[in-house]
Amino acid sequence: MYDLLIAPFADFGFMRRALVGGVALSVGAAPMGVFLMLRRMSLTGDAMAHAILPGAAVGFLVAGLSLPAMTIGGLIAGVLVALLSGVVARVTVLKEDAALAAFYLVSLALGVTIVSMRGSNVDLLHVLFGTVLALDDAALILIAGITSLTLGTLALIYRPLVLECLDPGFLRSVSRSGGPVYLAFLALVVLNLVGGFQALGTLLAVGIMMLPAAAARFWTDDITGMLLLATLGGVLATVAGLLGSYHLGAPSGPAIILAAGCLYLLSLVFGPVGGLMRHLRPRRHLEA
């Protein structure tokens, strides 16, 4: 049991770094996934994850695989796409989801083109799928800082954010905080995607955000419970993915997301709140 579960982290520093980075990322990103799900914006998270790619690619073009350059570029690109899609949705006939989809496709193609022109296939794979086993001190500090900022901001805007997700009309009738809260929420989503980009790349970063959140929805109706379960699910997926990667020789980033996907499928089948088994189980007479 020691060799199976503990030895990989006890014997190898890169595994410990990957574990710390993945856990920190789960603590910050999974709650964002819960609120995206409650707002019916799950696919928006995926679009935003791809939107940071051209900014990160420009940072790569300027400074190579430089953490500060790629982080700043990705952050600027993500915020810019969020703002542009909102403007397009308000001044044209396009809805916000269509505007985001258009920007997402352009961003993905542009980012891949930029990286391919400057770097090799290895560099492109690094940008698209991340290198969770190669996290250094700077990357860990960045992810931990984003997580700390996320938790602190959520503590400040939690009540209006929950209202804005569940009943925005009521929030508008009693307060003018809806707009600023929504912008703060989008900024946190972009920040966590930028942090996830360092470990999982632009294609997989949204996985650690949305899959644990979707799994948590099958276990509870309580928002606080969903936040806690989503965070726990992200941590479990990180541990299981890293261990599976170590013992089976699979790529670590995809292994983490596959572990989160398995957790989602188990929740889909066995979850007591809307899971498949609950629908298949015979109900008692007059049972709701």
Side-chain angles (χ1 to χ4, degrees), residues 10-263:
D11 295 342
F12 299 101
F14 64 87
M15 288 289 289
R16 292 194 294 272
R17 289 174 179 273
L19 178 63
V20 171
V23 169
L25 187 61
S26 299
V27 171
M32 291 293 98
V34 171
F35 286 112
L36 283 172
M37 182 180 61
L38 291 176
R39 292 182 55 86
R40 295 178 174 86
M41 293 174 60
S42 299
L43 291 178
T44 299
D46 185 51
M48 295 302 300
H50 294 83
I52 69 176
L53 180 55
V58 170
F60 172 79
L61 191 66
V62 172
L65 293 174
S66 166
L67 177 64
M70 296 178 72
T71 298
I72 293 172
L75 185 60
I76 292 173
V79 172
L80 185 62
V81 167
L83 293 176
L84 286 176
S85 61
V87 170
V88 169
R90 284 163 177 76
V91 302
T92 71
V93 297
L94 281 182
K95 300 296 184 181
E96 190 168 8
D97 59 340
L100 267 173
F103 282 117
Y104 137 63
L105 292 170
V106 172
S107 298
L108 181 60
L110 179 60
V112 170
T113 301
I114 293 174
V115 176
S116 299
M117 290 175 60
R118 166 67 188 269
S120 63
N121 288 336
V122 174
D123 296 323
L124 182 60
L125 289 174
H126 170 85
V127 172
L128 293 179
F129 298 104
T131 51
V132 67
L133 294 181
L135 292 176
D136 55 13
D137 289 345
L140 290 178
I141 291 172
L142 173 68
I143 295 173
I146 290 173
T147 297
S148 299
L149 179 62
T150 298
L151 295 180
T153 305
L154 280 180
L156 292 175
I157 67 172
Y158 180 76
R159 284 192 175 185
L161 180 59
V162 170
L163 278 176
E164 210 270 337
C165 290
L166 301 180
D167 195 347
F170 175 75
L171 181 62
R172 284 194 298 269
S173 69
V174 299
S175 173
R176 295 182 179 179
S177 63
V181 165
Y182 178 66
L183 291 177
F185 169 67
L186 279 184
L188 290 179
V189 170
V190 173
L191 275 173
N192 279 276
L193 290 173
V194 169
F197 158 78
Q198 307 300 331
L200 301 171
T202 57
L203 293 184
L204 298 177
V206 72
I208 202 66
M209 182 177 287
M210 295 310 310
L211 287 172
R217 181 63 185 85
F218 289 106
W219 296 96
T220 180
D221 287 322
D222 179 69
I223 294 179
T224 302
M226 274 188 267
L227 294 173
L228 294 174
L229 287 176
T231 301
L232 178 61
V235 172
L236 290 176
T238 297
V239 175
L242 289 174
L243 289 173
S245 171
Y246 177 83
H247 292 294
L248 300 176
S252 300
I256 291 173
I257 303 306
L258 281 175
C262 290
L263 180 64

